[in-house]
Amino acid sequence: MGALNLLVAVCLGYVAMLFLVAFMAERAAARGRGGWLRSPVVYTLSLSIYCTAWTFYGAVGYAARSGLEYLTIYIGPTLVMLGWWWGLRKLVRIGRTQRITSIADLISSRYGKSNSLAVFVTIVAVIGTTPYIALQLQSVTSSFSSFALYDPSVRQIGDSDATALWVAAGLALFTVLFGTRNLDANERHHGVVMAIAVEAVVKLFALVAVGVFVVWGVGGGVSETLARIDASDIGQWQMHNGRWAALIFLSAAAFLTLPRMFQVLVVENDDENHLRTASWAFPTYLMLMSLFVVPIAVTGLELMPKGSNPDQFVLTVPLSQGRDGLAMLSFLGGFSSATSMVIVAAIALSTMVSNHIVMPIWLTLTGGGAMISGDVRHVVLLARRMSIAGVLALGYLYYRFSGGGAALASIGLISFAGVAQFLPPLMGGIFWRGATRLGALAGLVVGFVIWVYSLLLPSFGPSLFMSAEILAHGPLGIGWLRPQALFGIGGMNPLVHTVMWSLLLNSVVFVVVSLATFPKPMERLQGAQFVNVFQHSGNPQGWSGGIAQSEDLMVMAQRILGAVEAQSFFQREAATQGLAGYLPEPSPEFLQRLERELSGSVGAATAHAMVGQIMGRATVSVEDLLAVADETAQMMEYSSQLEAKSAELTRTARQLRAANEKLTQLSVQKDAFLSQISHELRTPMTSIRSFSEILRDADGLSEAELDKYAGIIHSEAIRLTRLLDDLLDLSVLENGQVSLNMQHGNLSEVIEHAVNATGVQTAGLRMVRVRALENIPIFTDLDRLAQVFINLIANAQKYCDAEHPNLAIRVTRRDGYLLVDFVDNGSGIPSDSQALIFEKFSRISDQKKAGGAGLGLAICREIMARLDGAISYLPGQGGAAFRVSLPMKAAKAAE
Amino acid sequence: MAKIRPSLFLERKSYRQRRVRDAARLMPFLGALLWGVPVLWAPPGPYGISTSKAMLYIFGVWLGLVLISLALSRWLEPDADTEPTEGN
């Protein structure tokens, strides 16, 4: 019994060592010194739980039976890791932003936090993983038996079933101690990850050690070993091509969808950039793990007697060579592989079972659920512990009923095919917004049923579920329902057959039902979040309205997160809202974060339901949906709206500025004018007064003097009258009291009249006219129009400062308007004055030369407004230019 | 007298980054292609491939892919968040 005791002692010692590692790691993490725990190397090594006892023992057996086919199991994951930029990066990002706790959580969360989907995924995962756990039990049990073969003193503890039971119980205890020590808000297990990283090193080291021993110790070098490989039974490349492709695909799919792989890949991932290292380091690990498999298998085939179990060559080859130490190392490697897989798988499954099955049921049973006092966390922990025990019990039962005789590889592949059913909803969920909950559910059901019917049930052997009769002729003799030849297509490899039909029909049903159904708002919201995870940094607001009691939320959160966590979270949130104390306003943002926080402990669906109990229903408003569903389009539209708005604002500001400038200048002008007008009025008044005084007081004035003085008084009086006339005219025009004398006439006559009236012909201003164009009949107030023209011509006469002044009068018709431009060749009007020239009392130059009171253009503007036309300054004509526009109807009516 | 014209591609670095990302995306397809070759190999017989040669090929591809992936992971900028639009 010595050797057996030694084996058990080694196992216990090893487990104790792992526990210590885990304990130290957790303590270091708790003290904040766990930086090194979170290195990319640890992450990469933790991925190695992909290599279970199936790899450690089974790969060699697989190689001994089927040559290099075992490589497919490692090539698939290698391809997935190489393609990390496509899929894994997105999964990890989604996992982190949505606080995903398991693959069931991810799928349920993506499809509108649907609990029915979560429950179904959990059930499939448990059923799919059960054979895998059975596989670990079987391999550990067989490794005990292998030692018994070589050491008669080692006897089985009872029989192999009893050994398996002991191992299962031990592993359950181990996992409970490891994985449910506390309820982590992030569902991350620093200790466990560290322990499996150590185990990863142990198993790699053990397998490589055996390989080195076989190649150089037994084989005699690389070239000799290669020669022996070629000389063996598996010396020729012999591959079922369908299997080669199907298995690579299957293992790639399983790598993403196995609950334990999802746990380490996504849930335990601490930093997205760890993937960068893992993208080459994990393929290297897989390569090293599979490098020595064939040499070991070939050596085993040579050295071992016919009929010995090739799954045990890793152990039995060193034992047969008397290398007990190496065999012990190899045993530890296998033990490591089995334990790490079982621990993580059990943790992942228990999380799913407790979050998606136990908690919802418990919440329903306790009625008000979250409102009852007491700590929910012990319920969660208890649920997890029970789930772990349950999962291992299932594994044990599978081991018992499948007879424990099947090759490890075939058991593992059954598991792979089961969990691979998650692939369509998973990939569809993160790459296709149109995927719906019903589609996912329908596809999963179809795939699952085919898998159970065509692969799982037959795997128990003909005695249990599927009789040979059914396998050969189908249930009730229906030929096309034969489990391994569905739809009458027989002759396929059973595994390839199942993988093809289940995944094909799963995908087809998933797509078709998704296309045909309509998603609920929450689904669309989540779908957009998942598919566009790289574009969305913010979270949608699922909660709105409702009057929640922050205190109730606090009570609930304390019971799930723990008092300290919850209080600090609430305090933080309150501080963010600018409130003192512990109770933040139940704003949508806060509720969203709280739900996220809770979902780290109990899963998205449950957290959603719990907050929902207090909040009332979560409402997704159309605005929310729009905002997320078309965020990109929305953003673009919004930004262009903003741009337009800002342009409009700029325009308005410019207009306001211009108006303000105009007002200021006008005010200045008005002041100036008041003094000007007083001056204007005063000058003639003064001369009238003084000359009339002279006439009254002075004696002996000559006739000529009398005439002269009376003439001055008269002309000054006329000047005054004209000024007052102008003012009156303007005021009449402005008040709209003017009556127009509309009559038919000709434009050229009006211009001619104006030119003659100003007498410019003799005054040196040269007129440039094209008379042919001026011959346009018009119907308007001809006198008023002539007044405008006279004013413009007189202005040109007065202000044009060119050496040889000329004035061009151009007549054009455009857009229903008759346009008459008056362009001189002077220096024009400076742009800062252009806005003012039509204002009353405005004067561009101070010089007296103008003689008028600055009312001419103002009068022109009023006249043109009365005539339904306009007068405007035309800049950029090389001189002062005014444009008079008359509506064409005035001309039309004349015709 | 030729004027020195400014380079057309001012953002050479980000351009290179996007191409490295393209290469990273192509990696699984390269792997699938190379590991798809064994499907074409002849069945056991006069033209059969010996297991040792098959191993050398498959592990050679493995090593090559790992090395390329290592190089790519070095070149890829650490913060993928800064990419303006996914897929460019």
Side-chain angles (χ1 to χ4, degrees):
Chain A
M1 291 297 282
L4 174 66
N5 285 342
L6 183 65
L7 267 191
V8 173
V10 164
C11 288
L12 290 179
Y14 181 69
V15 168
M17 188 272 288
L18 285 183
F19 199 82
L20 194 68
V21 167
F23 181 72
M24 303 278 275
E26 298 238 326
R27 212 174 56 166
R31 290 184 183 174
R33 287 188 286 119
W36 54 276
L37 295 171
R38 287 300 173 210
S39 71
V41 175
V42 171
Y43 178 69
T44 307
L45 286 175
S46 74
L47 296 186
S48 75
I49 54 154
Y50 181 75
C51 302
T52 63
W54 170 13
T55 299
F56 198 85
Y57 296 117
V60 172
Y62 200 159
R65 293 184 188 97
S66 326
L68 289 175
E69 191 183 284
Y70 78 97
L71 285 173
T72 54
I73 306 303
Y74 310 101
I75 286 176
T78 299
L79 291 176
V80 172
M81 285 312 296
L82 290 176
W84 67 288
W85 197 267
W86 286 108
L88 280 179
R89 199 170 64 99
K90 196 165 191 178
L91 270 183
V92 167
R93 178 72 68 89
I94 291 170
R96 290 168 58 79
T97 51
Q98 302 278 327
R99 311 204 82 173
I100 296 298
T101 59
S102 66
I103 185 161
D105 196 24
L106 181 98
I107 292 178
S108 117
S109 196
R110 159 64 179 83
Y111 298 102
K113 303 184 182 176
S114 143
N115 208 46
S116 54
L117 201 50
V119 169
F120 190 73
V121 171
T122 303
I123 292 171
V124 175
V126 169
I127 297 177
T129 310
T130 300
Y132 219 131
I133 289 175
L135 186 158
Q136 313 303 319
L137 297 180
Q138 182 181 332
S139 67
V140 174
T141 312
S142 331
S143 64
F144 272 100
S145 332
S146 298
F147 269 94
L149 277 178
Y150 287 87
D151 188 346
S153 70
V154 174
R155 289 210 322 278
Q156 297 283 311
I157 316 162
D159 54 14
S160 60
D161 285 350
T163 313
L165 187 60
W166 276 108
V167 173
L171 283 175
L173 183 68
F174 190 53
T175 312
V176 167
L177 288 176
F178 254 128
T180 59
R181 272 163 34 89
N182 52 4
L183 197 58
D184 190 61
N186 295 321
E187 206 55 62
R188 297 208 178 114
H189 309 80
H190 299 74
V192 174
V193 169
M194 198 61 218
I196 59 178
V198 171
E199 292 195 291
V201 176
V202 170
K203 64 194 179 197
L204 181 65
F205 181 71
L207 196 62
V208 170
V210 175
V212 167
F213 166 71
V214 162
V215 172
W216 282 277
V218 180
V222 176
S223 51
E224 287 82 352
T225 307
L226 285 179
R228 284 161 70 144
I229 289 171
D230 287 346
S232 70
D233 294 346
I234 54 171
Q236 286 263 306
W237 172 262
Q238 190 170 6
M239 188 61 57
H240 183 293
N241 283 343
R243 268 180 81 90
W244 177 258
L247 286 179
I248 288 179
F249 173 74
L250 186 61
S251 60
F255 185 68
L256 287 170
T257 54
L258 278 169
R260 68 170 197 281
M261 288 317 299
F262 191 88
Q263 179 82 24
V264 286
L265 267 174
V266 178
V267 181
E268 305 279 356
N269 179 290
D270 221 36
D271 182 350
E272 208 173 291
N273 273 315
H274 288 173
L275 277 176
R276 174 189 309 275
T277 306
S279 74
W280 59 268
F282 187 61
T284 312
Y285 187 94
L286 289 175
M287 184 175 73
L288 292 175
M289 281 301 273
S290 41
L291 189 58
F292 291 106
V293 166
V294 170
I296 296 172
V298 168
T299 312
L301 284 174
E302 271 181 27
L303 296 179
M304 293 293 120
K306 289 270 177 227
S308 50
N309 185 0
D311 282 336
Q312 292 295 313
F313 282 168
V314 182
L315 265 184
T316 51
V317 167
L319 277 175
S320 72
Q321 302 297 307
R323 301 296 184 111
D324 287 355
L326 188 61
M328 189 58 81
L329 179 63
S330 163
F331 171 79
L332 265 188
F335 189 71
S336 281
S337 316
T339 50
S340 55
M341 179 271 162
V342 172
I343 291 166
V344 181
I347 288 175
L349 289 178
S350 72
T351 306
M352 286 157 74
V353 170
S354 80
N355 284 355
H356 302 303
I357 297 179
V358 178
M359 285 309 290
I361 293 174
W362 186 83
L363 278 177
T364 316
L365 287 184
T366 53
M371 292 309 298
I372 297 170
S373 62
D375 197 340
V376 181
R377 304 203 302 155
H378 76 269
V379 181
V380 176
L381 279 179
L382 188 66
R384 295 218 174 152
R385 288 174 182 154
M386 301 296 284
S387 312
I388 289 171
V391 164
L392 277 159
L394 277 176
Y396 175 71
L397 288 177
Y398 184 92
Y399 167 75
R400 282 293 299 273
F401 286 114
S402 67
L408 296 179
S410 57
I411 305 179
L413 288 173
I414 292 171
S415 269
F416 274 25
V419 293
Q421 303 308 323
F422 301 147
L423 191 70
L426 183 69
M427 289 293 121
I430 67 171
F431 288 112
W432 182 36
R433 292 230 321 238
T436 67
R437 185 180 70 92
L438 286 174
L441 202 54
L444 272 177
V445 169
V446 168
F448 175 70
V449 167
I450 294 176
W451 170 71
V452 168
Y453 181 67
S454 69
L455 198 63
L456 183 69
L457 294 184
S459 78
F460 289 98
S463 57
L464 205 55
F465 294 110
M466 286 276 177
S467 66
E469 163 73 20
I470 292 179
L471 280 180
H473 304 293
L476 310 172
I478 304 170
W480 62 271
L481 276 183
R482 273 175 297 161
Q484 295 179 341
L486 287 173
F487 309 107
I489 302 173
M492 250 190 279
N493 181 290
L495 182 76
V496 176
H497 171 266
T498 301
V499 170
M500 190 201 77
W501 280 121
S502 63
L503 280 177
L504 184 73
L505 291 180
N506 181 340
S507 308
V508 167
V509 169
F510 167 63
V511 170
V512 169
V513 174
S514 286
L515 290 176
T517 53
F518 197 80
K520 282 188 276 194
M522 184 56 94
E523 280 179 70
R524 299 179 67 179
L525 198 65
Q526 288 293 92
Q529 285 269 300
F530 275 52
V531 175
N532 302 330
V533 67
F534 291 111
Q535 279 94 52
H536 293 280
S537 43
N539 303 319
Q541 295 172 4
W543 299 106
S544 62
I547 306 130
Q549 301 299 321
S550 292
E551 207 168 334
D552 293 343
L553 291 170
M554 176 95 164
V555 170
M556 177 189 70
Q558 279 183 346
R559 290 160 52 216
I560 294 170
L561 302 172
V564 181
E565 284 262 351
Q567 281 159 16
S568 70
F569 174 72
F570 272 65
Q571 196 171 19
R572 235 179 8 252
E573 288 296 321
T576 317
Q577 295 182 359
L579 301 170
Y582 289 94
L583 293 180
E585 288 293 312
S587 67
E589 297 83 12
F590 162 64
L591 291 170
Q592 186 67 35
R593 278 197 291 274
L594 176 65
E595 192 192 318
R596 240 341 103 85
E597 201 73 23
L598 294 178
S599 72
S601 292
V602 292
T606 307
H608 193 65
M610 292 180 94
V611 176
Q613 279 184 339
I614 294 176
M615 278 297 296
R617 274 185 59 231
T619 50
V620 180
S621 68
V622 178
E623 284 77 17
D624 286 340
L625 255 185
L626 265 180
V628 178
D630 290 309
E631 191 169 289
T632 321
Q634 189 93 357
M635 287 292 279
M636 280 163 65
E637 193 188 325
Y638 185 58
S639 88
S640 74
Q641 274 176 6
L642 271 184
E643 239 167 68
K645 277 216 177 82
S646 120
E648 194 187 317
L649 278 177
T650 316
R651 254 197 323 274
T652 315
R654 209 166 37 229
Q655 285 165 359
L656 280 175
R657 239 191 334 267
N660 186 39
E661 243 165 61
K662 202 158 115 182
L663 283 174
T664 323
Q665 283 186 27
L666 262 184
S667 157
V668 171
Q669 287 266 332
K670 218 159 202 164
D671 288 349
F673 175 74
L674 273 180
S675 61
Q676 179 81 25
I677 195 89
S678 357
H679 182 72
E680 293 281 351
L681 287 173
R682 207 162 166 254
T683 317
M685 287 308 271
T686 312
S687 54
I688 288 172
R689 202 183 67 198
S690 36
F691 283 108
S692 56
E693 273 170 13
I694 292 171
L695 288 179
R696 187 189 64 193
D697 300 331
D699 296 323
L701 290 171
S702 67
E703 195 69 17
E705 278 173 328
L706 278 176
D707 265 345
K708 185 184 170 198
Y709 294 156
I712 290 173
I713 291 172
H714 182 248
S715 73
E716 289 299 332
I718 286 176
R719 202 170 137 202
L720 260 179
T721 315
R722 198 171 64 226
L723 188 64
L724 294 172
D725 276 345
D726 276 353
L727 279 170
L728 197 64
D729 199 8
L730 188 64
S731 122
V732 166
L733 280 166
E734 273 184 347
N735 294 332
Q737 293 162 340
V738 68
S739 56
L740 296 172
N741 177 22
M742 305 297 276
Q743 47 189 311
H744 292 281
N746 192 297
L747 183 62
S748 92
E749 283 170 23
V750 179
I751 293 175
E752 197 64 45
H753 170 66
V755 170
N756 291 336
T758 49
V760 288
Q761 306 297 55
T762 53
L765 181 68
R766 199 166 66 83
M767 299 301 296
V768 182
R769 294 168 63 188
V770 183
R771 282 165 210 275
L773 290 177
E774 292 172 6
N775 187 18
I776 296 170
I778 50 174
F779 175 72
T780 186
D781 188 330
L782 298 177
D783 292 335
R784 286 293 188 180
L785 188 61
Q787 192 186 344
V788 171
F789 289 175
I790 290 167
N791 211 308
L792 290 174
I793 297 169
N795 273 352
Q797 194 179 4
K798 272 188 261 180
Y799 295 115
C800 185
D801 49 9
E803 207 177 327
H804 302 290
N806 63 44
L807 177 70
I809 300 177
R810 303 176 194 142
V811 179
T812 44
R813 297 192 221 198
R814 192 187 303 159
D815 299 332
Y817 277 92
L818 179 65
L819 306 177
V820 187
D821 295 350
F822 294 81
V823 184
D824 70 24
N825 61 347
S827 58
I829 294 169
S831 60
D832 55 354
S833 307
Q834 285 169 11
L836 283 173
I837 49 176
F838 293 106
E839 300 301 331
K840 279 176 284 185
F841 315 131
S842 72
R843 248 182 231 271
I844 297 156
S845 49
D846 296 336
Q847 69 261 59
K848 290 289 193 64
K849 173 181 164 189
L855 293 172
L857 284 172
I859 293 173
C860 289
R861 190 179 64 173
E862 291 304 322
I863 291 174
M864 290 317 296
R866 293 288 153 251
L867 298 180
D868 294 323
I871 178 166
S872 55
Y873 186 75
L874 204 61
Q877 303 298 314
F882 291 87
R883 167 165 287 177
V884 174
S885 52
L886 264 181
M888 215 57 150
K889 68 174 167 54
K892 281 263 167 63
E895 284 172 4
Chain B
M1 291 298 282
K3 278 187 195 165
I4 296 167
R5 287 166 63 182
S7 167
L8 193 58
F9 300 103
L10 292 171
E11 299 192 29
R12 237 166 223 287
K13 193 154 172 274
S14 69
Y15 178 85
R16 190 53 51 210
Q17 263 303 304
R18 288 198 291 275
R19 297 296 82 79
V20 173
R21 275 176 214 145
D22 289 348
R25 288 194 181 93
L26 284 176
M27 283 302 286
F29 299 101
L30 178 69
L33 196 75
L34 291 175
W35 274 322
V37 168
V39 171
L40 305 173
W41 287 343
Y47 301 104
I49 306 279
S50 71
T51 299
S52 61
K53 277 187 187 151
M55 277 179 72
L56 284 178
Y57 175 78
I58 291 172
F59 283 99
V61 168
W62 216 318
L63 190 66
L65 289 172
V66 163
L67 290 178
I68 298 173
S69 185
L70 172 64
L72 284 177
S73 77
R74 288 286 157 94
W75 286 331
L76 277 169
E77 295 285 334
D79 47 344
D81 283 344
T82 54
E83 59 194 295
T85 48
E86 191 65 9
N88 271 357

